[in-house]
Amino acid sequence: MSDQLPAAKRWFTDGKLGVFIHWGIYAVDGVAESWSFFDGRVPYDTYMAQLDGFGAEHWDPDAWADLFVRAGARYAVLTAKHHDGVALWDTQANDLSVVKRTPAGRDLLAEYVAALRRRDIKVGLYYSHLDWSHPDYATIRPAGQDPDERGNPYSMPATGDEDPARWDAFLAFHRAQLTELLDLFAPDLLWFDGEWERGADQWRMAEIAAFIEERRPGTVVNGRLTGHGDYATPEQGVPVEPPPGPWELCLTINDSWGYQPQDDHHKSPRQLVRVLAETVGGGGNLLLDVGPRADGTILPEQADRLEKLGAWAARHAAALYGTGRGLPHGHFYGPSTLSADRRTLYLFLFDRPNEYAVVRGVRNAVRSARVLGSDTPVRAERVGGLGDVPGWEYLYVSDDQLDPLCSVIALDLDGELDLYREHTRD
């Protein structure tokens, strides 16, 4: 992965916030998506019987899209097909889709894409490489695996049952569905998953990458196209040391990707703002997940958090969208971002300062300092320093200037950011 995306893909690194939607038949019984049968918690037949209950009766794609706009999301990613193999669009590659096999009886992907396009939200589609329902999937082993190791029957063949010809048939099915997604929906982003059960050579990842680039150049692809993606995809925790290039944290609002009614462990708006600030400050995007019910409605608790996150993001948009990663560790105790022209530094204050906040090692003079959102001025005072070695920049903030979720101070500098990182004296 390169440190910077090509111009046609730059919308992704500028966008900073997306909404992830895990929606499928698993919402009928509220069980874990795909993994519940793979791990033996639910019999496969019981899991697939949820097809009969998936109706999407109250689904309003425009209401989803409007919520995403209020959340401040610049893109959204929907599970077009999870590991269970059930497609949300009218795939012609097989008959395992919500169109042919569920009471919903409609192409949900087409409606989702149209609703996002009407609001200029970038369209992301999640697609699982693996397919634990396809008869030709569990037909070869990963390179180097012990041939006597049984493994999970949904993913590995029994000893002696390997059949490379059937694996080729599965790859043809995989390419047929990928062609449909590209040609029917022209996604801005393809979010792959399920690559771990085979090697890159077995998947023929280079071939897939070349096909996407030829079929729809400019499509952003995540790193789960092993060795050929545009960005890294850590899950469920902000990296202590951010990846060097473009990256995206995918995170659940509660503890589950899909709808699970017993899971009421929702993160607070303040926690979500903090994660967003830490992620963007490290040069990444936040892809925040919701799990709609089988009828297509989003839980009020999840919608409320999206709304509150979006309201905060709107007040602090200049510090988020279109910015770059901020100061290295040690210059400021908290996240920060830098404007595209590198002349404005944004400092995120999670906690109430004890009279002042401090920035170290900035050679630039501070032309002005203000609290973002209210634009109230902040008194800045340079203390110390010797020759080329800058001192400390003290920023005096009063309690009445603080945002209830997270405050941001904007420092307008006298030129592009110039940092001092050396020892003061041997």
Side-chain angles (χ1 to χ4, degrees):
M1 299 174 195
S2 63
D3 288 342
Q4 190 171 34
L5 296 180
K9 300 182 179 183
R10 204 76 47 83
W11 67 264
F12 175 78
T13 47
D14 288 343
K16 305 304 179 185
L17 179 61
V19 177
F20 210 179
I21 312 107
H22 274 68
W23 191 35
I25 66 169
Y26 37 87
V28 173
D29 293 340
V31 297
E33 58 291 334
S34 306
W35 292 98
S36 54
F37 74 78
F38 184 84
D39 291 340
R41 286 171 277 167
V42 175
Y44 179 80
D45 289 346
T46 300
Y47 181 95
M48 297 307 290
Q50 294 177 102
L51 288 163
D52 297 331
F54 188 78
E57 302 91 341
H58 303 298
W59 183 49
D60 182 347
D62 287 300
W64 275 18
D66 287 338
L67 174 61
F68 301 161
V69 169
R70 295 194 299 275
R74 300 297 170 88
Y75 65 104
V77 180
L78 174 62
T79 48
K81 190 195 78 170
H82 206 265
H83 313 324
D84 58 15
V86 181
L88 296 192
W89 79 99
D90 191 16
T91 180
Q92 303 303 301
N94 66 2
D95 68 352
L96 188 51
S97 73
V98 297
V99 180
K100 298 183 177 75
R101 298 281 297 278
T102 76
R106 52 203 268 214
D107 191 320
L108 304 178
L109 216 54
E111 297 181 46
Y112 154 84
V113 170
L116 295 191
R117 297 269 190 237
R118 285 192 287 271
R119 289 155 183 81
D120 200 27
I121 301 174
K122 297 293 186 182
V123 172
L125 302 179
Y126 168 111
Y127 181 76
S128 173
H129 292 298
L130 65 81
D131 188 325
W132 291 328
S133 291
H134 197 283
D136 293 324
Y137 175 67
T139 52
I140 64 167
R141 295 172 174 275
Q145 188 186 62
D146 184 346
D148 292 326
E149 182 181 337
R150 179 63 186 96
N152 191 298
Y154 294 110
S155 62
M156 302 297 164
T159 302
D161 287 346
E162 295 87 349
D163 191 338
R166 290 181 63 193
W167 175 251
D168 287 343
F170 175 76
L171 290 183
F173 160 79
H174 176 283
R175 302 307 191 267
Q177 287 200 321
L178 184 55
T179 300
E180 290 176 341
L181 294 178
L182 291 168
D183 290 355
L184 294 173
F185 307 115
D188 301 292
L189 167 64
L190 280 172
W191 210 102
F192 288 111
D193 198 10
E195 80 292 351
W196 62 85
E197 290 188 337
R198 305 287 185 270
D201 290 342
Q202 292 172 309
W203 284 116
R204 301 172 195 168
M205 290 298 193
E207 175 188 294
I208 298 173
F211 175 75
I212 295 169
E213 182 60 27
E214 178 184 358
R215 200 91 181 185
R216 183 166 167 76
T219 300
V220 177
V221 179
N222 74 338
R224 300 179 189 191
L225 198 64
T226 317
H228 299 278
D230 293 307
Y231 65 92
T233 54
E235 281 189 35
Q236 296 288 53
V238 179
V240 174
E241 191 65 41
W247 62 280
E248 171 194 76
L249 170 67
C250 51
L251 180 79
T252 52
I253 284 186
N254 52 8
D255 294 330
S256 308
W257 296 104
Y259 170 66
Q260 296 191 39
Q262 80 286 354
D263 184 359
D264 60 359
H265 191 217
H266 292 88
K267 299 170 182 66
S268 70
R270 183 174 286 109
Q271 286 174 312
L272 295 174
V273 165
R274 184 176 187 124
V275 171
L276 176 61
E278 289 177 343
T279 302
V280 174
N285 288 11
L286 175 61
L287 184 62
L288 187 60
D289 179 75
V290 297
R293 302 181 184 96
D295 67 3
T297 57
I298 293 174
L299 290 173
E301 299 91 335
Q302 298 190 352
D304 175 70
R305 281 153 176 80
L306 289 179
E307 300 258 14
K308 287 186 167 72
L309 179 63
W312 180 87
R315 295 194 299 274
H316 302 91
L320 298 172
Y321 307 108
T323 61
R325 66 181 68 204
L327 297 169
H329 293 303
H331 288 276
F332 176 69
Y333 291 106
S336 59
T337 57
L338 190 60
S339 62
D341 65 5
R342 300 182 58 82
R343 291 173 175 267
T344 303
L345 186 62
Y346 300 100
L347 309 172
F348 295 80
L349 302 179
F350 293 140
D351 305 309
R352 174 184 172 273
N354 189 3
E355 186 180 0
Y356 49 75
V358 180
V359 182
R360 302 188 298 165
V362 176
R363 287 194 176 104
N364 307 77
V366 174
R367 300 179 62 178
S368 66
R370 65 192 190 281
V371 176
L372 209 60
S374 65
D375 277 338
T376 57
V378 170
R379 181 166 70 88
E381 178 186 12
R382 183 64 60 95
V383 176
L386 177 64
D388 191 44
V389 182
W392 299 267
E393 195 75 35
Y394 280 73
L395 306 166
Y396 293 87
V397 184
S398 60
D399 287 354
D400 61 355
Q401 292 178 298
L402 299 178
D403 186 279
L405 296 181
C406 175
S407 304
V408 181
I409 299 177
L411 298 185
D412 295 316
L413 308 176
D414 66 352
E416 293 189 17
L417 177 66
D418 183 10
L419 291 180
Y420 181 81
R421 300 281 292 168
E422 306 301 323
H423 298 293
T424 56
R425 191 169 183 177
D426 291 333

